[in-house]
Amino acid sequence: MPKKVKPTENGKEEGPVPSKQVKVEAVGGASTLNFDSPGSLFKSLISPIKTETFFKEFWEKKPLLIQRDDPALATYYQSLFRLADLKSLCSQGLYYGRDVNVCRSVSGKKKVLNKDGKVHFLQLRKDFDQKRATIQFHQPQRFKDELWRVQEKLECYFGSLVGSNVYITPAGSQGLPPHYDDVEVFILQLEGEKHWRLYPPTVALACEYSVEYEARLGAPTHEFMLKPGDLLYFPRGTIHQADTPPGLAHSTHVTISTYQNNSWGDFLLDTISGLVFDTAKEDVELRSGIPRQLLMVETSGVATRLSSFLRTLADRLEGTKELLSSDMKKDFVIHRLPPYYVGDGTELSTPGGVLPRLHSTVRLQFRDHIILTVGPDQNRSDEAQEKMVYIYHSLKNRRHTHMMGNEETESHGLRFPFSHVDALKQIWNSSAISVKDLKLTTDEEKENLVLSLWTECLVQVL
């Protein structure tokens, strides 16, 4: 079984519980999730496991199973998504492929049973009941407010996109064949029970999805039943399969996933182009031409020359204060969920209160939804291209396109000359600051900077 720890009175942990007794009793206090902050939400999600323990022992390392005897939490989980929700959701204009997949695992292969075009509830329910097909609902946070609330907080916590899929499987059926994913996975059991089998990775921390043939798997390393209120975590690359046993009610679970393309390798690819851009301004060797016909024929000595350049870049990196991020930061902020709100969201699009002036005191708001980054001037392509400070935010992002791939998205934010970077960091690093104390040359620059931020609802006047 995945390691199961049982909290003691002093908060420390005893050794693993035998696999037949894997159970964590409900701990005193509120049994639903704590939304006070991103950190408190994650802490309550994996309770009673300590956050420090999770990241030290389990994150990117091995599965964690938390089985809870907590009726209140089970009821809350069931409210996130139910089979009964499908009828009303289908009336909102769902389409096969985009919003819903109907599938079943047959002889170790995924058989897709989608119809064409719009999803009609009666047909969907017929396939579920008669064909014993699994209903896979893509990105339900677009429609279910509480999942939006959960995933928005988790995106703040991880600093990475957080997607989800709901799987509803009838008794005596399995939706997907054994496979592994390229994401860190948190599974919340919402309705019914599901039988899980996990196998060791063939590719640790895999960076792509792959189906595995069951004949090659051998015996599972972990096998267990998930019940409402239970949580299962496993790292990317973990081979897994799950089925609803015969004789039981249907099973519903939500898979919450994160950290796709969010590795050190991805970050290196993202930042190295900016590092080369900066270094080439001062190093004539990087600006010199490559040998004739290098792109046409293999030329000796290229690897040696590239190694020399990489050493130069490494030396430069040691003294670099501002890394030029090409895409990762921007991609994250323009594709993530907007802040969770109840009502019409006016506070995200219309600045309120008085205009900021030189003697005003201001503070940053929606800090977790704003990214400050440095990059080349995107409006110039000549050799005199200068660094600019870019501020991107997700306040105006559209919830209904979240994690939908080819849906059009746009960036929201501001750009400032690099000379404004210290003043912006003052605002970022202060709980409150007077406009007149900003590190800019003129009072006009100070007022204009803060007014720009206020217009985007990024600062509030105290």
Side-chain angles (χ1 to χ4, degrees), residues 1 23 37 41 63 92 99 137 141 148-149 151 157 216 233 248 257 305 421 448:
M1 295 296 299
K23 177 89 62 175
S37 69
L41 172 69
Q92 299 185 42
D99 303 301
F137 196 103
Q141 72 278 7
W148 169 24
R149 189 182 181 201
Q151 289 175 233
Y157 185 75
R216 301 178 184 174
Y233 159 80
L248 298 181
S257 57
R305 190 72 184 273
V421 68
N448 287 341

Side-chain angles (χ1 to χ4, degrees), residues 114-131:
N114 288 351
K115 303 294 186 290
D116 292 328
K118 212 172 210 181
V119 178
H120 298 283
F121 174 72
L122 291 179
Q123 180 64 56
L124 189 65
R125 189 62 200 245
K126 181 179 178 181
D127 290 339
F128 180 78
D129 292 331
Q130 296 182 8
K131 297 183 179 179

Side-chain angles (χ1 to χ4, degrees), residues 108 174 176-180 197-202 210-221 237-241:
Q174 179 170 330
L176 300 175
H179 66 281
Y180 60 80
R197 286 169 285 174
L198 308 183
Y199 308 83
T202 52
S210 180
V211 173
E212 289 288 325
Y213 293 109
E214 189 159 9
R216 301 178 184 174
L217 294 179
T221 54
T238 303
I239 301 169
H240 57 279
Q241 61 178 324

